[in-house]
Amino acid sequence: RGVFSAPVAGVPELLALSIVGIVYLQLPNTLWAGRFTRAEFLSEAVDRRWPRAGALLRAFYHALGALLLAILLYALWPEFVRAWTLGDYIGAIGNFTAPTWPVRLIMVVGAAVTIATYLLLLAIDLSDALRRRGASGGAAGGAAGGAAGGAAR
């Protein structure tokens, strides 16, 4: 910018696309690491008092998350197809243009991998709930389930 004494064409457009792409690329890892925003005061209290119910509550949370991301994926797919087939772009013709399909593809892949992550966590939670059911006293099941669930998240 300083060399040409003028703004670099397309910087705002590329930044806007990059930010959206970065968010969708981070979703699965953020979920796997247990960094999604949630009200832990309820889930932690339930998990301490009723470990099996806590695992089932997490399973419900992950099933609902998978459903919501599936709805989002359902809405994202036609947008990607439209951007791919029609050659959607961002910017002004003659100044700067960039195709939007790569970011739309990142959004679709990010949502799909996040759904898979939700389903994997759901399976872990259901397994944890079954294991806690068979454990006597809840403490043994809680230790085993906590290690499995904690390592995954």
Side-chain angles (χ1 to χ4, degrees), residues 24 71-81 104 107-108 111:
Y24 275 88
I71 292 169
L72 179 64
L73 182 59
Y74 180 77
L76 289 172
W77 180 253
E79 292 296 318
F80 164 69
V81 171
R104 301 260 187 219
M107 293 167 68
V108 166

Side-chain angles (χ1 to χ4, degrees), residues 2 26 29 50 61 66 72 91 114 126 128 141:
Q26 288 181 19
N29 185 42
W50 304 287
Y61 165 78
L72 179 64
T114 304
L126 291 176
D128 191 22

Side-chain angles (χ1 to χ4, degrees), residues 82-139:
R82 184 177 60 80
W84 176 266
T85 57
L86 297 179
D88 260 358
Y89 63 89
I90 189 170
I93 296 176
N95 184 19
F96 174 83
T97 57
T100 60
W101 72 263
V103 174
R104 301 260 187 219
L105 178 61
I106 289 170
M107 293 167 68
V108 166
V109 170
V113 174
T114 304
I115 292 168
T117 305
Y118 266 122
L119 294 176
L120 182 59
L121 290 171
L122 172 63
I124 291 169
D125 293 332
L126 291 176
S127 172
D128 191 22
L130 290 174
R131 203 170 28 249
R132 289 178 184 209
R133 178 180 181 196
S136 60

Side-chain angles (χ1 to χ4, degrees), residues 13-76:
E13 291 86 356
L14 289 176
L15 282 175
L17 290 174
S18 297
I19 290 170
V20 172
I22 289 167
V23 167
Y24 275 88
L25 287 173
Q26 288 181 19
L27 284 177
N29 185 42
T30 303
L31 175 62
W32 186 254
R35 301 288 185 215
F36 268 18
T37 303
R38 59 183 173 185
E40 291 181 349
F41 65 91
L42 174 64
S43 62
E44 286 178 356
V46 170
D47 201 32
R48 274 193 306 272
R49 183 152 182 164
W50 304 287
R52 182 170 179 235
L56 291 173
L57 183 62
R58 284 190 309 277
F60 174 74
Y61 165 78
H62 291 130
L64 185 61
L67 175 66
L68 292 174
L69 261 290
I71 292 169
L72 179 64
L73 182 59
Y74 180 77
L76 289 172

